Amino acid sequence: MTGRRSTHLPSQGAELGTAAPFFPQLGDLAADTTRKGQVGVVVALPGEDSATTYHLRPPGGGPAWSAPADGTTLRPVPAQATHATLLPSRDAVYDPRARQGSVPVEFHFEDGSTHEGALVLTSAELERLYAQISRLLTAHENAFGETS
């Protein structure tokens, strides 16, 4: 080892594997590792209204529970993807060496955010998708009497 930082690895602080602590706010969803990842809505913060711990309640209601004030057992709950759409500005590509196709897409999340990505398909998946899209186009043409 050279003692130099690797340019492709993010700085993670003093110890390898450490991450920034998660301090949820009121109304945030958090997964509690001491409760097998149970998700709860933060309903009270440490130091607020004489609370000394986080208080969480299941999103649909139910009994509340406490989590340590340092947030070490809480993890953020990422927004779930709802769908993906084709990126209009880029075209699909095929890599014959890898025998894979790549279709640029934009993922849409339930919180309204989006993220660009790619749908990577093997040769067999490309053929299956081709057959499915062909059926969709036929159904569209039959429904509207149009050709694309």
Side-chain angles (χ1 to χ4, degrees):
M1 295 193 53
T2 63
R4 294 184 312 188
R5 283 184 166 226
S6 175
T7 57
H8 68 281
L9 294 175
S11 174
Q12 295 180 322
E15 269 185 59
L16 184 62
T18 62
F22 175 57
F23 298 108
Q25 301 301 307
L26 282 177
D28 284 353
L29 289 177
D32 191 345
T33 59
T34 60
R35 296 178 65 95
K36 298 182 181 176
Q38 182 178 354
V39 173
V41 178
V42 176
V43 294
L45 300 173
E48 223 177 58
D49 299 327
S50 72
T52 57
T53 59
Y54 283 99
H55 292 264
L56 297 96
R57 185 176 305 279
W65 74 91
S66 297
D70 62 5
T72 54
T73 67
L74 300 178
R75 302 290 179 267
V77 177
Q80 298 295 309
T82 58
H83 64 286
T85 56
L86 295 175
L87 280 173
S89 59
R90 288 192 248 143
D91 203 6
V93 294
Y94 183 75
D95 181 351
R97 290 177 301 167
R99 296 183 180 167
Q100 293 180 335
S102 175
V103 181
V105 294
E106 184 171 44
F107 296 100
H108 300 261
F109 297 91
E110 62 189 2
D111 65 358
S113 64
T114 60
H115 188 72
E116 289 185 9
L119 174 61
V120 178
L121 302 159
T122 65
S123 296
E125 292 167 334
L126 284 168
E127 291 174 10
R128 192 168 124 223
L129 185 60
Y130 178 78
Q132 292 174 355
I133 289 175
S134 294
R135 284 197 305 273
L136 289 173
L137 288 171
T138 300
H140 171 74
E141 290 168 1
N142 289 340
F144 295 101
E146 301 174 0
T147 58
S148 34

